[in-house]
Amino acid sequence: MGNILLISRIFDGVTDLMMGAVIDKTKSKKGKARPWILRAMIPFALFTILLFALPVNFGAGAKIVWIFVMYNLYAIAYTALGCAMNTLNIRLTRNEKEINSLSTFMMFGMILGNVVINASAVGILTALSGGSSNYTQSAFIIMAIILSVVSLLGSILTYVTTKEIPDEEKRVEQKESTLKSVSALLKNKYWMMQLLNTVCIYLGLYCRLAAMIYYGLYVLKNPGLIPVLVIADNVPSLIAMPFALGISNKIGKRKASLIGLCCTMIGFALMFLNIYNLPIFILGLVIKGICFAPVQGAGNAFVADSALYGEWKFGVKSEGMAYSAISFANKVSSGLSGVLVGWILGLTGYVANAATQTPAATNGIIFLYIGVTFICTVVQIIIFALYNLDGKMPEIRNALAVKNTEK
């Protein structure tokens, strides 16, 4: 299973970039992104269900083939739908505040979905398994059907209630090759900054999620507290996002993000100094979550700005590629976190299923839970200290507007 996931992740990363290029070259009366939402939403729902509907009478080899094929078909459909949804963010409006709002509430929905699933999945699976913690395959299939229906309804709602900018197809002739688009992105320093920013956001998140169960078991000595950690790590940021949006619109998203990142150091200080003091540690998590809201919510808006900068600076329009590569960074972060967790636990002497761990292993768990996020946050502070695109965006938007009028 580990090898299947590793191979599939590499393949999935390649399809991200390919899908971005496909979206950029799409020409349709419905726009560039919306047609792919329509095309991908049913395959995504179908393959999500089929991934769990493994025939029980298959032999071991046939089961491996089924899992490999269905997981990769699911991943392709997910890539197509996800890249289209993200690209739509910049194709609905050119108004900076509206893009900020779209980005913030998209992230709001992602976090809300994670919180709801993490809080309810165990209870739903237990109920569907007849009250047993030994979950049945039918329980997973029903759960997958429920989630697929929700996803399908959300995709339909997005498709029928949105409209891409009418004159968008006339703005730039799509004659650039994929190689030229990639080259332009690699020369785009602001896009590269946001690529690294995305890696930092998700690497810290995935390491915390992976280490959370170990932290509850071996540091807090109470696995029942894990849901408390999930809530403290996610809900404050969720609540703060609408307020962070107002602050970003008032003082600029770069300044709001930089101030927020610096203020997260208060939360980190409380956590590092009170590792075993649960109330103070939770307070630190809450402060970190609130202060992290501006940069987390504005992630897609920063990418939108970097894509416009690339179009203005290099004359290459590659919105789909810009967003697909950011999605690729998300998946790279997921893979890196898995490797990092394995390395740290192995190097510090972690023993699976042991009643207690050595001080070195405990410190390794603490490092994975908050240390990795702390390092990523420091890197993000450096990124936004150097990021100076916000002040240039009015000039860039005006220049592109004049250029499009001339066309």
Side-chain angles (χ1 to χ4, degrees), residues 10 12-14 16-17 323-333:
I10 295 172
D12 197 13
V14 173
D16 268 317
L17 302 178
Y323 277 109
S324 67
I326 294 295
S327 175
F328 174 62
N330 180 350
K331 293 168 184 176
V332 168
S333 302

Side-chain angles (χ1 to χ4, degrees), residues 120-357:
S120 64
V122 170
I124 293 173
L125 287 171
T126 300
L128 292 174
S129 301
S132 172
S133 58
N134 295 319
Y135 308 136
T136 63
Q137 183 184 14
S138 62
F140 279 103
I141 293 173
I142 294 171
M143 182 78 167
I145 291 173
I146 293 170
L147 296 179
S148 295
V149 169
V150 172
S151 169
L152 189 58
L153 292 174
S155 299
I156 293 171
L157 184 65
T158 300
Y159 179 80
V160 300
T161 60
T162 57
K163 184 178 181 180
E164 296 184 32
I165 298 173
D167 62 346
E168 191 72 5
E169 302 306 319
K170 300 177 183 179
R171 294 184 64 235
V172 178
E173 292 295 326
Q174 295 298 321
K175 295 180 180 179
E176 295 86 3
S177 66
T178 300
L179 185 61
K180 188 174 180 180
S181 295
V182 172
S183 176
L185 284 176
L186 294 177
K187 291 186 290 185
N188 186 334
K189 62 180 180 181
Y190 297 110
W191 180 83
M192 293 295 290
M193 287 180 180
Q194 292 312 313
L195 186 70
L196 181 56
N197 177 46
T198 302
V199 170
C200 288
I201 289 174
Y202 287 106
L203 182 59
L205 172 63
Y206 291 138
C207 280
R208 291 199 309 278
L209 288 173
M212 192 174 290
I213 187 169
Y214 302 107
Y215 193 86
L217 284 170
Y218 297 113
V219 179
L220 299 179
K221 309 290 186 183
N222 186 352
L225 293 173
I226 293 173
V228 177
L229 296 177
V230 172
I231 293 171
D233 201 8
N234 292 280
V235 173
S237 182
L238 191 69
I239 295 172
M241 274 192 185
F243 300 99
L245 173 61
I247 295 172
S248 295
N249 286 338
K250 187 172 183 178
I251 68 174
K253 56 184 177 292
R254 176 258 182 185
K255 187 179 293 184
S257 297
L258 185 57
I259 292 172
L261 286 167
C262 290
C263 290
T264 61
M265 293 299 137
I266 299 172
F268 282 115
L270 290 175
M271 287 187 283
F272 279 122
L273 296 174
N274 298 275
I275 295 295
Y276 301 97
N277 186 330
L278 184 61
I280 304 299
F281 186 89
I282 292 296
L283 177 62
L285 266 180
V286 169
I287 292 173
K288 177 196 71 66
I290 292 172
C291 296
F292 197 65
V295 67
Q296 192 171 31
N300 275 1
F302 283 117
V303 179
D305 286 353
S306 70
L308 288 177
Y309 170 81
E311 182 182 345
W312 171 75
K313 180 73 173 178
F314 305 108
V316 178
K317 181 178 171 61
S318 53
E319 298 162 341
M321 287 288 289
Y323 277 109
S324 67
I326 294 295
S327 175
F328 174 62
N330 180 350
K331 293 168 184 176
V332 168
S333 302
S334 175
L336 283 175
S337 66
V339 172
L340 191 60
V341 168
W343 282 352
I344 296 299
L345 291 180
L347 289 173
T348 56
Y350 169 79
V351 179
N353 301 317
T356 58
Q357 299 292 337

Side-chain angles (χ1 to χ4, degrees), residues 18-29:
M18 292 171 61
M19 192 63 221
V22 168
I23 291 174
D24 281 334
K25 295 181 183 300
T26 298
K27 293 185 178 181
S28 164
K29 293 180 180 179

Side-chain angles (χ1 to χ4, degrees), residues 32 87-93 164-165 168-169 319:
K32 291 181 178 293
T87 305
L88 187 63
N89 188 55
I90 195 176
R91 297 186 59 82
L92 297 177
T93 177
E164 296 184 32
I165 298 173
E168 191 72 5
E169 302 306 319
E319 298 162 341

